[in-house]
């Protein structure tokens, strides 16, 4: 007989085991879905998860997709760890891209070492500005940050649409909804000839290291943790609780904004409608799959990035719609939440005990 | 109908501690049972097992000879076992009424009638339509009690229900409990107040370190014998030597007002007092009369006018708690789970919440974990917190031990002024004695205390001067020799 028993204290090992379990379950369920759709499950999974990263180009593409996911998820972990539910990273990414894109366009056909840093900074500031809206509304007007940050995503996308169709559209662009190409000085340098992987990856790695340090080693990280658990306690301790909430939103907005900069000054090179395949939303899954831990997030961003690539190869080789990628992302989150049950309960097989 | 509840050989082991060690007990309706024991003796664990919150490692529970399977609180409710927990289990942002109907599937209107009837019958008055966060601790406790009563339980368990009630409220509660008992409800009552046990209960079971050490009838016991059974040794009675009053003024509050934007908070009106070095000023009052606001104004959680608070010749009314700590003030708030500590964090992390001047817990913005841990170990040993694992999450400390940790954290900094609010709430007699001794020692070292408390005995024992707060106003300040508990009772009721 199987019995479910409450755990006295969630164990640390299970805390990092359940994400792995979730991935395994996702693979099993994915295979099953392929089977039902009439594909050979193992072959389909191979096309989805192995073929795309089997060569050097594929692997560099993996890193390319993992970069924004990792960067955003790191930012989000600041919010989520302190109980602030910022789910509008996609909007902060978009707005960061708009601001930095605007600055890049100002430097159209100009050269200079100062251009790229300015563009990057602009993106971070744009993301921060956009994230400050839900933060300020939350702290001073008690609004729900989940709703506000989510709704602002659509606002930012509409602003972007307006700009690339209207005032910022390329005058020589035959009315395509896109801006001019940025000058080379406004683009992130490529790391290898012939591959699209760019210097943005260093931004992500820096974010990983800095976040680890801030969270576990600094007074600021400690204050954020306390403020996240209880504003009342933060106030009693004498921390500026509200400031802290705003700060985590700003950090998270800056990271999302930087991810936006990475996209438009990296592989894209201009502003257009589709600058992000929902990286901002997918990064929420990455953050949780990585247990809000910087190192965990690196692994999680790689795993989730595969689903983007796999969807493309599977579409090319097997005519499976590329939206299967999102199905896989959904399944990962689903199984992660489900297996989190094991954090608090354990399963005992009573029949086995004599 | 008679109810018979039997606990048979119940054992619950936690890593590093046996909370319940092979306990067997039997209860019958018509009597009120007391469950006594030091902090961490395992009382809450035992009654949580009865209410399905904790599943025992071994042992069985029988209700009227039926072996109960209590795997969840719901199972307990289905078997007519109701419990009022030691710590509040209410949704702060929901209204009182919403909290009361949250687990009920009856019609809203009929529940409301039922609640009204209960409140009338037992003389409770709580506004049903305001959010719980605006209630005083005493009122929250009442909501918890009403929530049990709605289900007309056969067994009613109360884990320290009176810690936050005033004497008046307590005696009202006792009348109700006696009524329940006459109506056939079996009552199990946990408390640290031995006076209450003598007054209310028929039989008493005493636990020590997880074991049941005695079961006896109240008529064969007295306060001293019970205290000795609990602690396992004789308790010394402590008394404060009234010191010669110094005239060296430490803190002075002048024309302090606080007007809240929240209509359910109490406004403070024209507060004036001063405390000299080596003195303890007691502030009595029924909970909900502005004590919490006064505490916050004094601690700096609520900022006031700069000149309204003068501390050691500095005007500090506009400083934050952190900045006030720099002037050697320390604060011990009433609510240990929601304010003074963070249950989900480890013990040593909670110690770091009081980042006082010379602590060096954080150097140049970096955490100095060794320093914090070293300091935590000292608090744990100096203040008899019954664990040696500073990495333990503080939610696993028993209520009393968490309180010792907090008081310890504040006192170990040797502040010039300690402001504390119900510092011995929920502590066992031994721990109370210890805290009281410590507070007296502070005064002897020429340091001062502002003691806001709803426990009149405590105030009379420790204070040099006493004032009463009523509806946000302080009474005139009296020398404690000229005050009796009757006089305080009258002032607390609002008379002049
Ligand atoms: N989940 C847990 N993990 C480890 N130890 C625990 C856990 N829960 C309780 N304990 C320990 O079990 C012991 C009994 O705790 P319990 O809460 O039953 O004490 P209590 O008698 O109610 O004390 P108090 O009067 O302070 O409320 C304590 O030493 C406590 O630290
Ligand atoms: Mg208890």
């Amino acid at each position: 007989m199987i019995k479910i028993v409450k755990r006295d204290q969630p164990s640390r090992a299970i805390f990092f085991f359940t994400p792995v379990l979730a991935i395994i379950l996702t693979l099993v369920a994915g295979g099953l879905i392929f089977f039902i759709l009439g594909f050979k499950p193992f072959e389909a999974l191979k096309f989805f998860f192995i073929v795309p990263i089997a060569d050097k180009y594929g692997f560099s593409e993996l890193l390319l997709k993992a970069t924004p996911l990792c960067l955003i998820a790191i930012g989000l972990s600041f919010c989520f760890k302190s109980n602030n539910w910022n789910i509008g990273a996609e909007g902060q990414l978009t707005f960061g891209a708009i601001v930095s894109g605007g600055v890049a366009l100002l430097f159209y056909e100009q050269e200079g070492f100062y251009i790229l840093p300015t563009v990057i900074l602009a993106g971070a500031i744009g993301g921060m500005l956009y994230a400050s809206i839900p933060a300020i509304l939350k702290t001073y007007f008690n609004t729900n940050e989940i709703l506000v940050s989510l709704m602002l995503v659509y606002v930012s996308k509409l602003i972007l649409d307006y700009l690339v169709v209207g005032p910022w559209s390329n005058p020589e662009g035959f009315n395509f909804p896109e801006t001019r190409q940025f000058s080379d000085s406004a683009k992130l340098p490529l790391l290898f000839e012939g591959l699209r992987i760019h210097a943005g990856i260093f931004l992500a790695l820096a974010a990983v290291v800095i976040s680890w340090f801030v969270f576990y080693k600094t007074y600021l990280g400690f204050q954020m943790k306390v403020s996240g658990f209880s504003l009342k306690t933060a106030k009693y301790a004498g921390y500026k609780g509200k400031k802290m909430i705003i700060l985590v939103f700003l950090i998270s907005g800056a990271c999302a904004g930087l991810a936006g900069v990475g996209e438009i000054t990296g592989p894209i090179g201009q502003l257009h409608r589709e600058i992000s395949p929902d990286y901002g939303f997918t990064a929420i899954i990455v953050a949780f799959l990585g247990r809000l831990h910087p190192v965990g997030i690196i692994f999680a961003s790689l795993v989730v990035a595969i689903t983007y690539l796999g969807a493309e190869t599977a579409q090319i080789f097997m005519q499976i719609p590329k939206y299967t990628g999102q199905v896989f992302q959904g399944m990962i989150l689903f199984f992660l939440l489900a297996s989190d049950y094991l954090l608090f309960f354990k399963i005992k097989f009573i029949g086995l005990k004599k | 109908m008679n109810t018979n509840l039997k606990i048979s050989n119940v054992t619950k082991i936690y890593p590093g501690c046996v909370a319940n060690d092979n306990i067997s007990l039997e209860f019958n309706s018509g009597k009120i049972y007391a469950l006594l024991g030091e902090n961490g003796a395992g009382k809450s664990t035992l009654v949580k097992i009865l209410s399905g919150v904790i599943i025992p490692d071994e042992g069985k529970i029988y209700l009227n000879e039926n072996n109960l399977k209590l795997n969840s609180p719901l199972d307990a409710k289905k078997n007519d076992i109701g419990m009022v927990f030691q710590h509040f289990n209410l949704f702060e942002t929901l209204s009182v009424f919403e909290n009361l109907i949250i687990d009920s599937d009856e019609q809203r209107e009929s529940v409301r009638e039922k609640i009204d009837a209960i409140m009338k019958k037992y003389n409770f008055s709580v506004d049903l339509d305001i959010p719980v966060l605006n209630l005083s601790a005493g009122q929250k406790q009442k909501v918890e009690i009403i929530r049990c009563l709605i289900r007309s339980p056969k067994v009613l368990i109360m884990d320290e229900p009176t810690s936050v009630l005033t004497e008046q409220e307590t005696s009202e509660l006792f009348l109700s409990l006696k009524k329940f008992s006459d109506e056939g409800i079996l009552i199990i009552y946990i408390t640290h107040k031995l006076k209450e046990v003598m007054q209310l209960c028929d039989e008493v079971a005493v636990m020590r370190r997880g074991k049941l050490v005695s079961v006896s009838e109240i008529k064969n016991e007295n306060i001293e014998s019970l205290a000795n059974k609990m602690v396992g040794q004789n308790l010394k009675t402590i008394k404060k030597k009234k010191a010669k009053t110094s005239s060296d003024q430490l803190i002075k509050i002048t024309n302090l007002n606080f007007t809240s934007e929240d209509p359910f908070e109490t406004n403070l009106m024209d507060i004036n007092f001063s405390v000299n070095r080596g003195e303890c000023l007691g502030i009595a009052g029924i909970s909900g009369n502005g004590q919490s606001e006064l505490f916050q104004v004094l601690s700096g959680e609520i900022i006031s006018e700069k000149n309204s608070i003068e501390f050691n010749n500095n005007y500090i009314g506009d400083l934050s708690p952190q900045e006030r700590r720099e002037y050697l003030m320390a604060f011990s708030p009433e609510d240990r789970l929601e304010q003074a500590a963070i249950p989900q964090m480890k013990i040593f992390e909670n110690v770091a919440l009081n980042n006082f001047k010379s602590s060096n817990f954080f150097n140049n913005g970096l955490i100095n974990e060794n320093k914090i841990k070293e300091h935590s170990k000292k608090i744990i040993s100096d203040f008899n917190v019954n664990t040696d694992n500073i990495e333990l999450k503080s939610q696993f400390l028993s209520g009393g031990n968490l309180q010792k940790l907090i008081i310890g954290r504040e006192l170990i900094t040797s502040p010039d002024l300690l402001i504390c609010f119900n510092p011995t709430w929920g502590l066992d007699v031994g721990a109370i004695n210890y805290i009281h001794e410590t507070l007296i020692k502070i005064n002897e070292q020429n340091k001062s205390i502002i003691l806001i408390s709803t426990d009149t005995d405590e105030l009379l024992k420790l204070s040099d001067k006493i004032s009463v707060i009523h509806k946000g106003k302080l009474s005139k300040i009296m020398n404690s020799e000229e005050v009796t508990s009757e006089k305080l009772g009258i002032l607390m009721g609002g008379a002049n």
Side-chain angles (χ1 to χ4, degrees):
Chain A
M1 203 183 94
I2 292 176
K3 203 178 150 193
I4 292 182
V5 194
K6 199 164 178 232
R7 287 181 197 273
D8 297 326
Q9 197 171 354
S11 83
R12 186 119 184 111
I14 202 85
F15 190 70
F16 290 103
F17 167 70
T18 51
V20 177
L21 182 69
I23 292 169
I24 295 172
L25 288 174
T26 306
L27 291 178
V28 173
L32 202 67
I33 292 176
F34 285 134
F35 178 72
I36 293 170
L37 291 174
F39 299 99
K40 295 199 189 98
F42 285 102
E43 201 191 46
L45 286 177
K46 199 180 103 191
F47 272 116
F48 215 95
F49 288 99
I50 300 184
V51 172
I53 54 168
D55 56 10
K56 202 171 96 186
Y57 177 75
F59 191 69
S60 75
E61 284 294 294
L62 178 73
L63 295 180
L64 182 76
K65 306 260 181 217
T67 298
L69 289 175
C70 176
L71 196 51
I72 302 169
I74 289 287
L76 287 178
S77 69
F78 279 82
C79 280
F80 295 164
K81 275 210 171 200
S82 60
N83 263 329
N84 289 292
W85 302 107
N86 173 13
I87 59 168
E90 181 73 9
Q92 291 138 30
L93 179 155
T94 309
F95 201 76
I98 291 173
V99 175
S100 73
V103 173
L105 289 174
L106 284 181
F107 293 114
Y108 179 61
E109 284 192 328
Q110 290 180 33
E111 303 279 307
F113 67 92
Y114 54 88
I115 295 181
L116 185 62
T118 316
V119 169
I120 292 178
L121 193 66
I125 291 174
M128 287 192 326
L129 280 178
Y130 214 61
S132 68
I133 302 173
I136 289 171
L137 289 179
K138 174 178 174 158
T139 41
Y140 292 100
F141 301 97
N142 265 327
T143 57
N144 182 321
E145 76 272 25
I146 300 180
L147 279 178
V148 176
S149 64
L150 178 63
M151 290 192 297
L152 283 170
V153 172
Y154 305 106
V155 175
S156 70
K157 296 223 160 183
L158 290 173
I159 297 176
L160 177 64
D161 256 16
Y162 166 73
L163 290 172
V164 297
V165 172
W168 290 3
S169 79
N170 185 353
E172 299 95 46
F174 309 106
N175 281 335
F176 271 103
E178 58 185 32
T179 63
R180 289 167 154 154
Q181 280 284 334
F182 304 148
S183 72
D184 280 345
S185 289
K187 283 192 194 167
L188 282 166
L190 295 178
L191 297 187
F192 303 99
E193 198 63 40
L195 300 179
R196 296 202 298 162
I197 173 98
H198 55 79
I201 194 169
F202 297 122
L203 287 177
L205 290 176
V208 167
V209 176
I210 294 172
S211 71
W212 179 85
F213 187 77
V214 170
F215 242 102
Y216 299 104
K217 297 291 164 199
T218 67
Y219 189 29
L220 183 69
F222 184 77
Q223 294 186 43
M224 291 199 297
K225 188 170 172 187
V226 173
S227 313
F229 279 122
S230 160
L231 271 183
K232 233 175 167 174
T233 309
K235 205 167 160 193
Y236 158 71
Y239 307 155
K240 316 265 187 296
K242 290 184 172 179
K243 275 194 189 152
M244 215 50 66
I245 293 181
I246 292 176
L247 192 64
V248 292
F249 267 92
L250 290 183
I251 292 174
S252 155
C255 287
L258 287 176
V261 177
E263 289 308 291
I264 60 164
T265 63
I268 302 179
Q270 63 183 161
L271 276 179
H272 59 57
R273 273 183 170 155
E274 313 283 333
I275 53 171
S276 150
D278 281 352
Y279 285 134
F281 289 116
T282 312
I284 299 174
I285 301 175
V286 174
F288 282 108
L289 190 64
R291 284 284 179 230
L292 306 181
H293 188 285
V295 178
I297 286 176
I298 295 185
F299 286 111
S301 61
L302 291 171
V303 169
V304 174
I306 297 184
T307 61
Y308 278 103
L309 297 178
E312 281 168 23
T313 28
Q315 185 177 34
I316 296 167
F317 291 103
M318 302 171 62
Q319 286 77 48
I320 304 173
K322 74 170 179 196
Y323 296 107
T324 15
Q326 291 179 8
V327 174
F328 271 91
Q329 290 163 12
M331 282 198 294
I332 291 178
L333 184 62
F334 175 80
F335 284 118
L336 182 69
L337 294 177
S339 47
D340 271 359
Y341 186 71
L342 293 175
L343 286 181
F344 305 105
F345 297 90
K346 57 188 166 197
I347 299 170
K348 266 193 182 164
F349 298 94
I350 294 179
L352 301 178
K353 210 172 74 183
K354 48 177 189 325
Chain B
M1 218 203 81
N2 262 341
T3 307
N4 168 280
L5 180 71
K6 211 155 86 188
I7 299 173
S8 156
N9 303 98
V10 163
T11 296
K12 176 75 197 177
I13 300 177
Y14 286 118
C17 123
V18 184
N20 283 169
D21 190 352
N22 198 17
I23 302 224
S24 298
L25 263 172
E26 197 173 338
F27 307 95
N28 283 298
S29 59
K31 283 186 180 173
I32 300 181
Y33 293 85
L35 191 53
L36 290 181
E38 289 179 277
N39 293 125
K43 308 173 299 287
S44 294
T45 306
L46 188 66
V47 292
K48 278 185 190 160
I49 288 172
L50 288 177
S51 58
V53 177
I54 293 177
I55 297 165
D57 298 327
E58 268 161 61
K60 295 203 165 76
I61 312 289
Y62 299 91
L63 185 64
N64 294 335
E65 309 288 314
N66 295 323
N67 183 1
L68 299 185
K69 291 244 170 311
L70 300 174
N71 285 323
S72 73
L74 194 65
D75 291 340
K77 280 180 193 160
K78 280 188 195 144
N79 285 296
D80 300 321
I81 299 178
M83 168 142 169
V84 175
F85 290 89
Q86 181 172 6
H87 300 294
F88 303 130
N89 276 293
L90 298 169
F91 294 97
E92 295 259 312
T93 49
L94 296 185
S95 76
V96 173
F97 183 63
E98 285 165 328
N99 266 286
L100 288 172
I101 58 163
I102 214 147
D103 60 349
S104 137
D105 28 65
E106 289 175 63
Q107 286 275 310
R108 277 172 153 258
E109 283 317 303
S110 71
V111 187
R112 194 177 262 271
E113 276 166 26
K114 220 181 202 173
I115 296 171
D116 284 338
I118 291 171
M119 294 215 296
K120 200 156 166 215
K121 186 164 169 193
Y122 302 115
N123 256 332
F124 289 173
S125 69
V126 184
D127 186 341
L128 292 182
D129 299 304
I130 62 174
V132 164
L133 83 164
N134 293 318
L135 298 185
S136 69
Q139 288 170 313
K140 285 184 191 168
Q141 198 80 6
K142 282 185 182 156
V143 177
E144 294 267 16
I145 295 171
I146 296 172
R147 180 152 73 177
C148 279
L149 294 180
I150 296 176
R151 295 182 157 257
S152 14
K154 281 199 186 110
V155 178
L156 181 61
I157 304 169
M158 305 213 141
D159 196 349
E160 303 187 29
T162 57
S163 319
V164 290
L165 303 189
T166 60
E167 266 164 57
Q168 174 67 18
E169 288 170 317
T170 303
S171 50
E172 279 168 15
L173 174 71
F174 284 3
L175 286 179
S176 322
L177 288 180
K178 290 221 161 106
K179 228 187 237 174
F180 301 153
S181 177
D182 293 340
E183 287 165 8
I185 302 177
L186 196 172
I187 294 171
I188 302 175
Y189 189 85
I190 299 182
T191 185
H192 288 294
K193 301 184 180 165
L194 301 177
K195 241 176 25 186
E196 292 184 350
V197 176
M198 300 305 299
Q199 214 177 323
L200 176 75
C201 302
D202 304 299
E203 274 192 36
V204 52
V206 181
M207 293 178 70
R208 198 188 314 147
R209 304 216 174 123
K211 291 201 176 69
L212 185 67
V213 289
S214 96
V215 180
S216 53
E217 297 205 14
I218 286 294
K219 56 176 188 279
N220 303 329
E221 300 285 351
N222 56 43
I223 289 187
E224 287 73 36
S225 68
L226 287 177
N228 293 347
K229 278 182 177 168
M230 275 171 66
V231 197
Q233 63 190 40
N234 280 332
L235 271 182
K236 48 181 185 265
T237 39
I238 50 171
K239 227 180 149 231
K240 185 171 183 175
K241 290 193 293 285
K242 302 287 171 189
K244 39 179 183 3
T245 39
S246 89
S247 52
D248 189 2
Q249 194 177 74
L250 181 66
I251 185 169
K252 184 170 182 215
I253 312 291
T254 324
N255 297 335
L256 186 140
N257 288 288
F258 163 66
T259 314
S260 172
E261 290 164 15
D262 185 337
F264 301 105
E265 279 185 346
T266 310
N267 294 335
L268 298 177
M269 275 165 291
D270 205 18
I271 306 281
N272 288 288
F273 65 80
S274 65
V275 183
N276 294 342
R277 280 185 193 275
E279 235 177 22
C280 174
L281 169 69
I283 294 179
I286 296 171
S287 66
N289 272 288
Q291 289 97 328
S292 147
E293 290 78 6
L294 180 61
F295 179 87
Q296 292 181 58
V297 164
L298 293 175
S299 72
E301 287 159 76
I302 297 174
I303 304 289
S304 50
E305 242 167 74
K306 188 177 167 70
N307 291 347
S308 59
I309 305 177
E310 186 187 345
F311 183 75
N312 220 351
N313 301 323
N314 299 294
Y315 291 109
I316 59 158
D318 58 344
L319 297 187
S320 78
Q322 182 66 40
E323 290 160 330
R324 291 185 197 197
R325 286 193 182 99
E326 306 283 298
Y327 286 96
L328 296 178
M329 296 172 82
F331 320 104
S332 161
E334 174 186 44
D335 194 337
R336 51 184 167 244
L337 286 180
E338 304 235 324
Q339 188 173 12
I342 292 190
Q344 300 94 326
M345 295 203 318
K346 295 173 180 162
I347 288 180
F348 77 89
E349 292 176 308
N350 273 303
V351 166
L353 287 175
N354 180 3
N355 175 23
F356 61 97
K357 195 171 186 176
S358 54
S359 70
N360 291 329
F361 289 164
F362 305 97
N363 291 336
N364 308 323
L366 301 184
I367 301 177
N368 186 347
E369 212 169 281
N370 290 336
K371 192 95 205 167
I372 300 174
K373 286 184 171 165
E374 197 182 292
H375 195 75
S376 308
K377 289 203 180 112
K378 189 160 161 26
I379 295 178
I380 282 179
S381 76
D382 285 9
F383 287 83
N384 294 319
V385 181
N386 75 338
T387 179
D388 46 17
N389 180 9
I390 53 170
E391 309 254 357
L392 191 76
K393 288 196 178 167
S394 40
Q395 64 195 10
F396 299 125
L397 285 176
S398 72
N401 278 296
L402 181 57
Q403 184 68 19
K404 285 194 222 170
L405 179 75
I406 293 162
I407 290 274
R409 174 184 77 196
E410 298 303 314
L411 288 190
I412 206 163
T413 67
S414 37
D416 273 350
L417 172 68
L418 174 72
I419 299 167
C420 49
F421 187 5
N422 282 340
T424 56
W425 174 30
L427 266 60
D428 67 50
V429 280
I432 291 179
N433 248 14
Y434 182 78
I435 300 282
H436 283 177
E437 267 176 353
T438 318
L439 293 179
I440 291 172
K441 222 183 284 164
I442 291 183
N443 278 161
E444 283 167 359
Q445 291 163 355
N446 209 24
K447 309 201 156 160
S448 315
I449 300 172
I450 296 177
L451 172 65
I452 306 173
S453 176
T454 45
D455 180 342
T456 325
D457 292 342
E458 174 169 275
L459 286 164
L460 289 171
K461 196 161 162 190
L462 299 178
S463 313
D464 300 303
K465 296 190 285 188
I466 296 190
S467 171
V468 175
I469 188 164
H470 178 74
K471 292 195 173 155
K473 274 191 189 143
L474 278 187
S475 73
K476 78 172 196 322
I477 292 167
M478 302 160 283
N479 271 333
S480 65
E481 286 96 13
E482 34 183 88
V483 180
T484 59
S485 93
E486 289 70 40
K487 187 165 174 192
L488 282 184
I490 294 169
L491 286 170
M492 280 154 68
N496 279 318

